[in-house]
Amino acid sequence: MFRGNLSIRINTSKSQEEVYNHVEDALEDLGRTSISNSGTISVLGSKFTGFGFASEIEGRIVKREDYYNLDLDFNSKPEILSWIIALCFFPVGMAMFILPYNAKGEFDKKAKRILNDLKYDLEKNDDLV
């Protein structure tokens, strides 16, 4: 219901394994992270799940000629309990949808900071070589 997408381009000459490890470590602040060999990113978003809503964080990292594209997708959706409360106690119950909306905002803010730091770290360390 509440979706977000963040994307960055990282210019680095580091190996794919190094980049994947660095990305995995950086995204641990969002939740338990794993990256497959094909570049699919899976984050358990338990830090962004609360009463009456669940969150999913997925992404992908794609190697191009001399850079990497990293995309993160976020989806926070109310569970059935939220819908029941919203309908039974309408209009006050509609406040249940504020929780997943706030989780999306928190994710956006935190993920932007993480991705900017990640880009800086990978590109800065590349300049030193």
Side-chain angles (χ1 to χ4, degrees), residues 10-118:
I10 302 170
N11 296 312
T12 186
S13 61
K14 294 190 182 310
S15 71
Q16 183 172 329
E17 184 179 338
E18 286 179 290
V19 172
Y20 281 16
N21 288 336
H22 206 81
V23 169
E24 191 171 340
D25 290 342
L27 294 179
E28 285 292 326
D29 284 345
L30 298 176
R32 191 178 198 172
T33 305
S34 63
I35 301 176
S36 71
N37 291 336
S38 65
T40 302
I41 300 170
S42 177
V43 180
L44 295 178
S46 60
K47 292 183 180 181
F48 300 99
T49 297
F51 177 73
F53 69 98
S55 299
E56 298 172 355
I57 303 171
E58 299 173 334
R60 65 212 138 280
I61 185 165
V62 179
K63 181 170 177 35
R64 301 292 183 199
E65 292 175 16
D66 58 344
Y67 64 92
Y68 291 85
N69 273 344
L70 191 148
D71 296 310
L72 283 180
D73 299 318
F74 178 79
N75 186 16
S76 183
K77 56 187 172 197
E79 293 179 334
I80 190 72
L81 178 63
S82 292
W83 287 101
I84 292 170
I85 291 172
L87 292 174
C88 290
F89 298 103
F90 185 81
V92 176
M94 295 301 286
M96 286 298 297
F97 297 123
I98 292 173
L99 299 174
Y101 177 78
N102 286 343
K104 181 197 172 295
E106 183 180 337
F107 167 79
D108 282 343
K109 189 168 81 171
K110 195 169 201 176
K112 281 179 186 175
R113 180 187 50 82
I114 289 170
L115 293 181
N116 286 333
D117 289 348
L118 177 67

